[in-house]
Amino acid sequence: MTFDGFETLAIHAGQEADAQTGAVVVPIYQTSTYAQDGVGGLRGGYEYSRTANPTRAALEECLAALESGIRGLAFASGMAAEDTLLRTIAKPGDHVIIPGDAYGGTFRLFSTVLERWGVRWDAVPQSDVEAVRAAVRPETVAVWAETPTNPLLNITDIEALAGVAHEAGALLVVDNTFASPYLQRPLALGADVVVHSTTKYLGGHSDVVGGALVVADAELGHRLAFHQNTMGAVAGPFDAWLTLRGVKTLGVRMDRHCANAERVVEALVAHPAVAEVYYPGLPDHPGHKTAERQMRAFGGMISFRLRGGEDAALKVCERTRVFTLGESLGGVESLIEHPGRMTHASAAGSPLEVPADLVRLSVGIEAAEDLVGDLVAALDH
């Protein structure tokens, strides 16, 4: 029997009851190696847990199902997933187009690691598809997209960008961390690879660090699996188990994240201390129509700018009590941060530098009235 419902897949894909005991939860196979039935006689294909582990395999199968992909691969972190992907598809002399407001860690990987290895890159505002087309070179091997972007919440038309990438013989890679597969499925819109920091919405409880790749092509999946094993930054079995546990409730959590974010946005738009709100659910957001077309809802991430400048932004971050000052996002608890001095400090002085008066929120699943009251009090202070 096959299932199509997202919530059903999240609970059951790769997670059949244990054949020996009937346990309905995938066991944590906390082992480094496996007994073999004679030299080369592997039981179930397992020989060493860097290469494969049953708990990790369950997570990888589940993620592939949720993203409608051919193969999923789980890593020790989102950055480990990105690094493995890029060293699989690119070589010295190749070129990659990244977002003009990419995540700070992605920018740092390109600007301080891959650039020294000889991979060239250009940062282009990807809401402008023609600007991306103009940036393509003969040596371009990938267009790397985020949508919504971190932290300015810009929206990229995935289908249009896939057309540009494929015309150039390049791959389209989409970081789907902000949306999660519940809200958006890039592979169904033409992307070749989806990247996740599973630390965020997929894990959902701020208790595990991980990353993932999901691909649409089996041959690329095979190449990535070879590099995953060779480079070794794999998800451990307990981390994979924690992520699987989080994935089971992704759908219901995302519904609440989105509903709470809408209430918070409404309050921010109405507050005189707020100069501008970035949220793709707002009708006047430049990417609203695109987001409406390719997303189920608009997500739990919000950014806003303060009329009082950087000092006002820092003070708001310090005054909240329900929103915890901290990096990361996507957990059940609400977080607030100053991107310019925290998650995107590595972009300071570059074309990707974020506004100093910007505050980013990860809206959790607490009572919406408490979240709104906390922010309003911080803004009114």
Side-chain angles (χ1 to χ4, degrees):
M1 183 180 296
T2 59
F3 304 104
D4 295 321
F6 183 92
E7 295 86 348
T8 307
L9 289 170
I11 294 169
H12 294 286
Q15 301 169 77
E16 296 79 9
D18 182 66
Q20 183 174 353
T21 67
V24 297
V25 174
V26 173
I28 304 170
Y29 288 89
Q30 195 67 47
T31 184
S32 60
T33 193
Y34 306 82
Q36 299 186 19
D37 299 323
V39 177
L42 308 184
R43 298 184 195 178
Y46 295 102
E47 59 180 341
Y48 188 62
S49 277
R50 171 169 42 80
T51 307
N53 174 279
T55 314
R56 190 174 90 225
L59 173 61
E60 292 174 336
E61 183 178 340
C62 183
L63 294 177
L66 296 183
E67 286 285 6
S68 302
I70 292 293
R71 187 165 190 170
L73 301 107
F75 294 83
S77 69
M79 295 311 304
E82 293 192 13
D83 181 46
T84 302
L85 171 62
L86 286 162
R87 287 198 279 165
T88 302
I89 65 174
K91 64 184 183 303
D94 285 341
H95 174 252
V96 180
I97 298 169
I98 69 171
D101 57 338
Y103 164 56
T106 300
F107 167 71
R108 184 171 57 240
L109 178 63
F110 276 96
S111 64
T112 66
V113 178
L114 292 168
E115 188 171 294
R116 290 190 295 107
W117 191 49
V119 173
R120 305 303 175 207
W121 56 277
D122 283 308
V124 179
Q126 293 182 352
S127 54
D128 183 349
V129 175
E130 292 309 310
V132 176
R133 192 188 307 275
V136 170
R137 307 179 189 176
E139 60 270 25
T140 300
V141 295
V143 176
W144 187 286
E146 296 175 21
T147 183
T149 61
N150 180 8
L152 297 179
L153 285 301
N154 285 314
I155 298 296
T156 293
D157 186 326
I158 296 172
E159 195 169 11
L161 211 59
V164 172
H166 296 159
E167 285 170 15
L171 298 174
L172 175 61
V173 179
V174 177
D175 185 336
N176 203 29
T177 298
F178 264 32
S180 87
Y182 181 71
L183 299 184
Q184 179 173 268
R185 296 193 192 183
L187 298 182
L189 297 169
D192 300 286
V193 186
V194 170
V195 177
H196 281 286
S197 170
T198 57
T199 309
K200 312 306 193 297
Y201 286 109
L202 285 163
H205 294 79
S206 301
D207 56 8
V208 63
V209 173
L213 301 173
V214 181
V215 299
D217 176 70
E219 192 276 332
L220 177 57
H222 179 74
R223 289 167 56 205
L224 286 168
F226 175 84
H227 283 77
Q228 179 194 41
N229 180 46
T230 302
M231 295 156 70
V234 298
F238 185 50
D239 291 346
W241 185 88
L242 284 170
T243 306
L244 267 177
R245 184 200 60 176
V247 165
K248 290 176 187 289
T249 60
L250 179 62
V252 292
R253 285 189 287 105
M254 292 306 299
D255 285 341
R256 184 62 171 265
H257 285 299
C258 294
N260 279 357
E262 290 176 4
R263 291 278 301 277
V264 169
V265 165
E266 183 181 351
L268 290 173
V269 167
H271 201 283
V274 176
E276 189 172 6
V277 179
Y278 300 103
Y279 186 67
L282 289 169
D284 60 353
H285 186 287
H288 176 71
K289 290 296 183 183
T290 302
E292 196 172 43
R293 185 176 70 250
Q294 68 189 21
M295 298 177 71
R296 186 195 299 246
F298 302 107
M301 299 301 298
I302 306 165
S303 291
F304 62 98
R305 299 178 71 173
L306 277 298
R307 296 190 189 280
E310 182 177 21
D311 185 59
L314 293 171
K315 287 179 178 176
V316 168
C317 290
E318 294 167 358
R319 289 172 182 155
T320 56
R321 294 296 176 264
V322 182
F323 281 86
T324 299
L325 178 62
E327 298 192 4
S328 197
L329 59 104
V332 293
E333 65 288 305
S334 294
L335 299 175
I336 188 169
E337 67 124 356
H338 185 267
R341 296 201 184 190
M342 295 171 70
T343 53
H344 290 69
S346 62
S350 80
L352 281 73
E353 182 173 6
V354 299
D357 58 0
L358 188 75
V359 172
R360 191 190 75 179
L361 304 176
S362 173
V363 180
I365 65 171
E366 302 95 337
E369 56 269 25
D370 290 333
L371 296 175
V372 170
D374 186 42
L375 277 174
V376 170
L379 290 164
D380 285 345
H381 190 76

